[in-house]
Amino acid sequence: MITLHGFAASNYYNLVKHLLLYKELPFQEHLTYSGGDEWKAISPVGKIPAITTADGRYLSESSVICDFIEESYPAKPLYPADAGERAAIRQIMKIAELYLELPSRRLIPYAFSGKTAPEDIQTEVSKVLTRGVGAMQRLCKFSPWIAGDQMTLADIYVYYVNTIVNTFCPSQLNRDILAEIPGMKAWTAAMSESAIAQKVEADRVANLPDFMAYVKAQQAPKA
């Protein structure tokens, strides 16, 4: 059985969890907020999430984990059979991660501390986001799925990438990034209505108080 390591307040944890639930694979969850050499034996750079595979192998990095699950458990496939079409799906995932989620993540420390990001940070983040928005406008179809008429891994991946974008950009940048990509808001609403998405969201909400207590403990001055 697969073990999923991490915590439900993490969007990357949740995208892997959504995939496991979609594939109807048995798995267990191991709550950890990371840290220490023992954790780095599982996740080499200490990132959330990681998995222990059914045969005892440790894997980290969400895109790597997702590809492993897709290749190891091919039932209910989420990649097209054609190599070029698979690459197009991965392109959407990578652009969303690099040009939407990662720049938005720079805003998190300011939001958690109740501050507004400095103007230079806002400018840098907005510039990268604008590139991402333009790319997603050109690549996404929303007909009805993000890449066309079939659900793919890009739907799960981008849905959870966008949770960071949608949480921090409106308050820190006064930008509704999802609204800047025609079709994205309606697609997001449709994705959120699935039983799996609602289960994952309920678990996220339940974990949030414990996660915030952990964050405050990490921010507290050391004696």
Side-chain angles (χ1 to χ4, degrees):
M1 180 185 296
I2 292 172
T3 299
L4 175 59
H5 306 275
F7 55 91
S10 162
N11 64 317
Y12 282 117
Y13 179 93
N14 287 335
L15 77 86
V16 174
K17 183 174 176 176
H18 190 122
L19 175 59
L20 290 166
L21 290 168
Y22 178 84
K23 291 274 191 178
E24 300 180 331
L25 300 175
F27 69 99
Q28 59 186 359
E29 298 182 70
H30 170 225
L31 175 64
T32 179
Y33 295 114
S34 77
D37 291 339
E38 183 178 351
W39 171 242
K40 288 184 179 178
I42 297 173
S43 178
V45 295
K47 293 172 67 176
I48 298 291
I51 66 167
T52 304
T53 66
D55 61 358
R57 183 188 300 273
Y58 299 135
L59 292 174
S60 60
E61 300 296 340
S62 298
S63 60
V64 173
I65 295 170
C66 288
D67 279 348
F68 166 79
I69 293 169
E70 179 67 13
E71 291 171 8
S72 301
Y73 304 94
K76 301 185 73 172
L78 285 167
Y79 275 135
D82 179 77
E85 292 179 3
R86 287 197 305 274
I89 297 303
R90 290 190 176 105
Q91 178 178 230
I92 292 172
M93 293 161 58
K94 183 59 67 175
I95 287 173
E97 181 178 18
L98 293 181
Y99 296 94
L100 296 181
E101 201 267 2
L102 286 181
S104 300
R105 189 168 285 273
R106 296 182 64 189
L107 305 170
I108 294 177
Y110 304 102
F112 277 179
S113 62
K115 301 177 181 178
T116 300
E119 187 174 345
D120 61 331
I121 298 296
Q122 293 186 46
T123 299
E124 290 174 18
V125 170
S126 285
K127 187 178 296 185
V128 179
L129 287 169
T130 297
R131 293 181 67 190
V133 166
M136 296 295 276
Q137 288 172 343
R138 289 184 282 273
L139 293 173
C140 295
K141 297 179 180 178
F142 304 116
S143 59
W145 303 102
I146 202 165
D149 60 359
Q150 297 293 322
M151 181 178 176
T152 68
L153 190 54
D155 289 282
I156 298 174
Y157 207 90
V158 176
Y159 178 70
Y160 288 101
V161 159
N162 280 351
T163 60
I164 296 296
V165 180
N166 201 39
T167 299
F168 299 103
C169 290
S171 60
Q172 289 287 320
L173 303 177
N174 196 30
R175 285 183 69 176
D176 185 348
I177 297 298
L178 303 193
E180 296 179 21
I181 304 168
M184 182 71 84
K185 297 276 277 193
W187 166 83
T188 299
M191 286 289 294
S192 70
E193 292 174 358
S194 77
I196 294 175
Q198 291 180 14
K199 155 73 172 161
V200 172
E201 174 62 10
D203 291 348
R204 184 194 71 82
V205 171
N207 174 241
L208 202 54
D210 190 64
F211 171 66
M212 293 308 298
Y214 168 79
V215 170
K216 289 180 181 178
Q218 295 299 112
Q219 292 175 339
K222 303 300 180 183

